[in-house]
Amino acid sequence: MPDKLLCEGFLFHNVLESGIDERVRPSLSSWEDAYKIVPPWDVGRPQPAFVELVKAGELNSGSVLDVGCGTGENALYLAGNGFSVTGVDLTSRAIAAARAKAAERKQRVDFRIGNALSLGFKNGFFDNVIDSGLFHTFTDNDRPSYAREIARILVTRGKFFMLCFSEKEPTGWGGPRRVTREEIETTFTPLFSINYIRDTSFATRIHNNGGKAYLTSATKIAA
Ligand code: SAH
């Protein structure tokens, strides 16, 4: 388990501590504050779980939306592997950092500020959506709205991949909500067919071998 004192010293205290409460969504200002330093999820490389998905050829070809993209490592990795990628994040600091990385690496990703609960894209716009550490920050009320919004912007048979902390990760250090398989099924089954919910790990700057996580693969079913 990561050191609670270590976490408490950081500016992202509000994000980490409010995230665990099912009724409180971290505020925009607490997300902006989190990016004044390098937050614990910002590991400077793509999440291994997404690298494996790409290597296994699990994504549909074409476009990908990385929702809650942070500073863009997963989005940039996908762009480097032949996908047409858009990254959306609520936080201007994260989007500025992601754009700077894309420019420096001479890569093309459309990074833009936006809200995952109300995305400015047409119905059926994307072939895939990935979520690395966003869903587990939402309240119970947000969850069905989020599922509807992701389903809306995905093409029928489009793929959704989500990495979130699981209930197997200890809560003693704070952090975002832990999610159960049943919660994932309840949230997404009305609109998606769930292919699997797999045990995996979530790389962070405060875990040695990653936090205990679920990787969900789901396919949007016809309305
Ligand atoms: N996917 C990134 C960041 C994970 S942390 C990574 O793996 O590094 C969660 C991210 O979601 C933060 O960058 C935060 O700013 C963003 N976020 C929180 N609520 C959001 C919302 N409603 N819409 C879009 N992004 C949001």
Side-chain angles (χ1 to χ4, degrees), residues 59-67 74-75 78-79 83-87 109 125-130 159 161:
L59 280 79
N60 291 337
S61 59
S63 57
V64 186
L65 172 66
D66 180 357
V67 66
N74 296 311
L78 290 164
F83 296 94
S84 163
V85 187
T86 303
V109 173
F125 196 73
F126 290 100
D127 298 306
N128 306 273
V129 175
I130 67 160
K159 290 277 192 76
F161 299 97

mmCIF file of all heavy atoms in Angstrom, residues 59-67 74-75 78-79 83-87 109 125-130 159 161:
data_model
loop_
_atom_site.group_PDB
_atom_site.id
_atom_site.type_symbol
_atom_site.label_atom_id
_atom_site.label_comp_id
_atom_site.label_asym_id
_atom_site.label_seq_id
_atom_site.Cartn_x
_atom_site.Cartn_y
_atom_site.Cartn_z
ATOM 1 N N LEU A 59 -8.322 -3.436 -30.403
ATOM 2 C CA LEU A 59 -9.101 -2.258 -30.796
ATOM 3 C C LEU A 59 -9.601 -2.415 -32.225
ATOM 4 O O LEU A 59 -8.955 -3.064 -33.055
ATOM 5 C CB LEU A 59 -8.251 -0.977 -30.705
ATOM 6 C CG LEU A 59 -8.089 -0.378 -29.298
ATOM 7 C CD1 LEU A 59 -7.053 -1.111 -28.489
ATOM 8 C CD2 LEU A 59 -7.717 1.098 -29.385
ATOM 9 N N ASN A 60 -10.741 -1.813 -32.523
ATOM 10 C CA ASN A 60 -11.177 -1.709 -33.911
ATOM 11 C C ASN A 60 -10.246 -0.717 -34.605
ATOM 12 O O ASN A 60 -9.737 0.206 -33.972
ATOM 13 C CB ASN A 60 -12.616 -1.195 -33.993
ATOM 14 C CG ASN A 60 -13.628 -2.212 -33.480
ATOM 15 O OD1 ASN A 60 -13.355 -3.416 -33.467
ATOM 16 N ND2 ASN A 60 -14.780 -1.739 -33.056
ATOM 17 N N SER A 61 -10.052 -0.893 -35.902
ATOM 18 C CA SER A 61 -9.201 0.083 -36.594
ATOM 19 C C SER A 61 -9.953 1.410 -36.715
ATOM 20 O O SER A 61 -11.172 1.447 -36.570
ATOM 21 C CB SER A 61 -8.791 -0.450 -37.972
ATOM 22 O OG SER A 61 -9.954 -0.703 -38.705
ATOM 23 N N GLY A 62 -9.213 2.489 -36.930
ATOM 24 C CA GLY A 62 -9.850 3.784 -37.126
ATOM 25 C C GLY A 62 -9.578 4.750 -36.000
ATOM 26 O O GLY A 62 -8.432 4.955 -35.609
ATOM 27 N N SER A 63 -10.656 5.320 -35.460
ATOM 28 C CA SER A 63 -10.503 6.425 -34.517
ATOM 29 C C SER A 63 -10.639 5.971 -33.067
ATOM 30 O O SER A 63 -11.313 4.983 -32.764
ATOM 31 C CB SER A 63 -11.558 7.494 -34.810
ATOM 32 O OG SER A 63 -12.845 6.923 -34.732
ATOM 33 N N VAL A 64 -9.963 6.712 -32.184
ATOM 34 C CA VAL A 64 -10.036 6.450 -30.741
ATOM 35 C C VAL A 64 -10.221 7.779 -30.016
ATOM 36 O O VAL A 64 -9.521 8.749 -30.316
ATOM 37 C CB VAL A 64 -8.727 5.822 -30.188
ATOM 38 C CG1 VAL A 64 -8.902 5.427 -28.716
ATOM 39 C CG2 VAL A 64 -8.281 4.619 -30.992
ATOM 40 N N LEU A 65 -11.144 7.795 -29.064
ATOM 41 C CA LEU A 65 -11.219 8.903 -28.116
ATOM 42 C C LEU A 65 -10.623 8.426 -26.801
ATOM 43 O O LEU A 65 -11.055 7.412 -26.250
ATOM 44 C CB LEU A 65 -12.676 9.331 -27.878
ATOM 45 C CG LEU A 65 -12.842 10.367 -26.754
ATOM 46 C CD1 LEU A 65 -12.203 11.695 -27.122
ATOM 47 C CD2 LEU A 65 -14.319 10.572 -26.410
ATOM 48 N N ASP A 66 -9.629 9.174 -26.296
ATOM 49 C CA ASP A 66 -9.096 8.934 -24.946
ATOM 50 C C ASP A 66 -9.781 9.953 -24.038
ATOM 51 O O ASP A 66 -9.492 11.145 -24.095
ATOM 52 C CB ASP A 66 -7.577 9.104 -24.951
ATOM 53 C CG ASP A 66 -6.960 8.855 -23.574
ATOM 54 O OD1 ASP A 66 -7.707 8.605 -22.604
ATOM 55 O OD2 ASP A 66 -5.718 8.918 -23.473
ATOM 56 N N VAL A 67 -10.711 9.470 -23.226
ATOM 57 C CA VAL A 67 -11.546 10.372 -22.441
ATOM 58 C C VAL A 67 -10.946 10.517 -21.033
ATOM 59 O O VAL A 67 -10.621 9.533 -20.393
ATOM 60 C CB VAL A 67 -13.018 9.876 -22.456
ATOM 61 C CG1 VAL A 67 -13.217 8.560 -21.755
ATOM 62 C CG2 VAL A 67 -13.966 10.918 -21.915
ATOM 63 N N ASN A 74 -1.306 7.779 -23.140
ATOM 64 C CA ASN A 74 -2.031 6.689 -23.815
ATOM 65 C C ASN A 74 -2.451 7.114 -25.219
ATOM 66 O O ASN A 74 -2.326 6.348 -26.178
ATOM 67 C CB ASN A 74 -3.256 6.268 -22.993
ATOM 68 C CG ASN A 74 -2.857 5.682 -21.651
ATOM 69 O OD1 ASN A 74 -1.997 4.808 -21.571
ATOM 70 N ND2 ASN A 74 -3.470 6.173 -20.578
ATOM 71 N N ALA A 75 -2.936 8.352 -25.336
ATOM 72 C CA ALA A 75 -3.359 8.871 -26.640
ATOM 73 C C ALA A 75 -2.179 8.903 -27.621
ATOM 74 O O ALA A 75 -2.305 8.497 -28.783
ATOM 75 C CB ALA A 75 -3.945 10.273 -26.469
ATOM 76 N N LEU A 78 -1.277 5.445 -28.830
ATOM 77 C CA LEU A 78 -2.218 4.959 -29.855
ATOM 78 C C LEU A 78 -1.953 5.644 -31.194
ATOM 79 O O LEU A 78 -1.985 5.001 -32.247
ATOM 80 C CB LEU A 78 -3.659 5.207 -29.397
ATOM 81 C CG LEU A 78 -4.104 4.321 -28.239
ATOM 82 C CD1 LEU A 78 -5.360 4.872 -27.586
ATOM 83 C CD2 LEU A 78 -4.346 2.894 -28.720
ATOM 84 N N ALA A 79 -1.679 6.951 -31.146
ATOM 85 C CA ALA A 79 -1.392 7.672 -32.390
ATOM 86 C C ALA A 79 -0.147 7.105 -33.066
ATOM 87 O O ALA A 79 -0.075 7.012 -34.297
ATOM 88 C CB ALA A 79 -1.214 9.159 -32.096
ATOM 89 N N PHE A 83 -3.607 4.726 -35.060
ATOM 90 C CA PHE A 83 -4.981 5.182 -34.825
ATOM 91 C C PHE A 83 -5.075 6.692 -35.000
ATOM 92 O O PHE A 83 -4.094 7.426 -34.798
ATOM 93 C CB PHE A 83 -5.432 4.789 -33.409
ATOM 94 C CG PHE A 83 -5.494 3.294 -33.212
ATOM 95 C CD1 PHE A 83 -4.412 2.602 -32.680
ATOM 96 C CD2 PHE A 83 -6.634 2.582 -33.589
ATOM 97 C CE1 PHE A 83 -4.458 1.212 -32.522
ATOM 98 C CE2 PHE A 83 -6.685 1.204 -33.428
ATOM 99 C CZ PHE A 83 -5.597 0.517 -32.896
ATOM 100 N N SER A 84 -6.264 7.131 -35.334
ATOM 101 C CA SER A 84 -6.559 8.561 -35.417
ATOM 102 C C SER A 84 -7.153 8.951 -34.054
ATOM 103 O O SER A 84 -8.233 8.489 -33.690
ATOM 104 C CB SER A 84 -7.563 8.756 -36.554
ATOM 105 O OG SER A 84 -8.164 9.992 -36.435
ATOM 106 N N VAL A 85 -6.426 9.774 -33.284
ATOM 107 C CA VAL A 85 -6.723 9.897 -31.856
ATOM 108 C C VAL A 85 -7.144 11.311 -31.467
ATOM 109 O O VAL A 85 -6.547 12.299 -31.889
ATOM 110 C CB VAL A 85 -5.491 9.480 -31.003
ATOM 111 C CG1 VAL A 85 -5.853 9.450 -29.523
ATOM 112 C CG2 VAL A 85 -4.971 8.104 -31.440
ATOM 113 N N THR A 86 -8.173 11.347 -30.624
ATOM 114 C CA THR A 86 -8.619 12.577 -29.971
ATOM 115 C C THR A 86 -8.489 12.357 -28.471
ATOM 116 O O THR A 86 -8.834 11.284 -27.969
ATOM 117 C CB THR A 86 -10.096 12.869 -30.321
ATOM 118 O OG1 THR A 86 -10.224 12.955 -31.736
ATOM 119 C CG2 THR A 86 -10.571 14.158 -29.679
ATOM 120 N N GLY A 87 -7.984 13.358 -27.769
ATOM 121 C CA GLY A 87 -7.900 13.280 -26.305
ATOM 122 C C GLY A 87 -8.673 14.421 -25.692
ATOM 123 O O GLY A 87 -8.499 15.574 -26.093
ATOM 124 N N VAL A 109 -2.224 14.411 -32.430
ATOM 125 C CA VAL A 109 -3.394 14.029 -31.638
ATOM 126 C C VAL A 109 -4.207 15.301 -31.438
ATOM 127 O O VAL A 109 -3.650 16.364 -31.185
ATOM 128 C CB VAL A 109 -2.996 13.443 -30.254
ATOM 129 C CG1 VAL A 109 -4.238 13.212 -29.392
ATOM 130 C CG2 VAL A 109 -2.215 12.138 -30.404
ATOM 131 N N PHE A 125 -19.456 8.849 -33.599
ATOM 132 C CA PHE A 125 -18.275 9.505 -34.186
ATOM 133 C C PHE A 125 -17.006 8.652 -34.077
ATOM 134 O O PHE A 125 -16.129 8.731 -34.925
ATOM 135 C CB PHE A 125 -18.066 10.849 -33.482
ATOM 136 C CG PHE A 125 -17.157 11.788 -34.203
ATOM 137 C CD1 PHE A 125 -17.584 12.420 -35.364
ATOM 138 C CD2 PHE A 125 -15.883 12.052 -33.736
ATOM 139 C CE1 PHE A 125 -16.753 13.293 -36.049
ATOM 140 C CE2 PHE A 125 -15.031 12.920 -34.403
ATOM 141 C CZ PHE A 125 -15.472 13.545 -35.565
ATOM 142 N N PHE A 126 -16.896 7.840 -33.015
ATOM 143 C CA PHE A 126 -15.637 7.119 -32.762
ATOM 144 C C PHE A 126 -15.788 5.607 -32.921
ATOM 145 O O PHE A 126 -16.823 5.022 -32.607
ATOM 146 C CB PHE A 126 -15.137 7.414 -31.343
ATOM 147 C CG PHE A 126 -14.638 8.825 -31.180
ATOM 148 C CD1 PHE A 126 -15.439 9.793 -30.590
ATOM 149 C CD2 PHE A 126 -13.376 9.196 -31.630
ATOM 150 C CE1 PHE A 126 -15.003 11.095 -30.449
ATOM 151 C CE2 PHE A 126 -12.922 10.506 -31.503
ATOM 152 C CZ PHE A 126 -13.737 11.457 -30.915
ATOM 153 N N ASP A 127 -14.679 4.982 -33.359
ATOM 154 C CA ASP A 127 -14.636 3.516 -33.460
ATOM 155 C C ASP A 127 -14.272 2.874 -32.119
ATOM 156 O O ASP A 127 -14.593 1.704 -31.881
ATOM 157 C CB ASP A 127 -13.581 3.104 -34.506
ATOM 158 C CG ASP A 127 -13.927 3.632 -35.884
ATOM 159 O OD1 ASP A 127 -15.059 3.371 -36.339
ATOM 160 O OD2 ASP A 127 -13.089 4.336 -36.494
ATOM 161 N N ASN A 128 -13.561 3.621 -31.271
ATOM 162 C CA ASN A 128 -13.137 3.120 -29.955
ATOM 163 C C ASN A 128 -13.107 4.283 -28.969
ATOM 164 O O ASN A 128 -12.840 5.419 -29.360
ATOM 165 C CB ASN A 128 -11.686 2.590 -29.981
ATOM 166 C CG ASN A 128 -11.420 1.546 -31.033
ATOM 167 O OD1 ASN A 128 -11.620 0.363 -30.791
ATOM 168 N ND2 ASN A 128 -10.961 1.971 -32.222
ATOM 169 N N VAL A 129 -13.318 3.946 -27.697
ATOM 170 C CA VAL A 129 -13.074 4.903 -26.611
ATOM 171 C C VAL A 129 -12.235 4.193 -25.559
ATOM 172 O O VAL A 129 -12.501 3.026 -25.239
ATOM 173 C CB VAL A 129 -14.394 5.399 -25.961
ATOM 174 C CG1 VAL A 129 -14.104 6.291 -24.757
ATOM 175 C CG2 VAL A 129 -15.265 6.156 -26.974
ATOM 176 N N ILE A 130 -11.221 4.895 -25.034
ATOM 177 C CA ILE A 130 -10.494 4.348 -23.886
ATOM 178 C C ILE A 130 -10.639 5.295 -22.699
ATOM 179 O O ILE A 130 -10.739 6.519 -22.859
ATOM 180 C CB ILE A 130 -8.999 4.076 -24.171
ATOM 181 C CG1 ILE A 130 -8.220 5.372 -24.395
ATOM 182 C CG2 ILE A 130 -8.820 3.118 -25.336
ATOM 183 C CD1 ILE A 130 -6.715 5.210 -24.187
ATOM 184 N N LYS A 159 -15.794 -0.190 -29.735
ATOM 185 C CA LYS A 159 -15.213 -0.806 -28.532
ATOM 186 C C LYS A 159 -14.921 0.240 -27.453
ATOM 187 O O LYS A 159 -14.455 1.347 -27.756
ATOM 188 C CB LYS A 159 -13.888 -1.500 -28.893
ATOM 189 C CG LYS A 159 -14.038 -2.747 -29.752
ATOM 190 C CD LYS A 159 -14.348 -3.936 -28.857
ATOM 191 C CE LYS A 159 -14.228 -5.273 -29.549
ATOM 192 N NZ LYS A 159 -12.865 -5.717 -29.757
ATOM 193 N N PHE A 161 -12.817 0.478 -23.765
ATOM 194 C CA PHE A 161 -11.859 -0.154 -22.848
ATOM 195 C C PHE A 161 -11.652 0.762 -21.660
ATOM 196 O O PHE A 161 -11.364 1.953 -21.835
ATOM 197 C CB PHE A 161 -10.517 -0.391 -23.550
ATOM 198 C CG PHE A 161 -10.621 -1.301 -24.733
ATOM 199 C CD1 PHE A 161 -10.722 -0.774 -26.014
ATOM 200 C CD2 PHE A 161 -10.634 -2.678 -24.576
ATOM 201 C CE1 PHE A 161 -10.833 -1.596 -27.117
ATOM 202 C CE2 PHE A 161 -10.745 -3.522 -25.682
ATOM 203 C CZ PHE A 161 -10.845 -2.977 -26.952
#
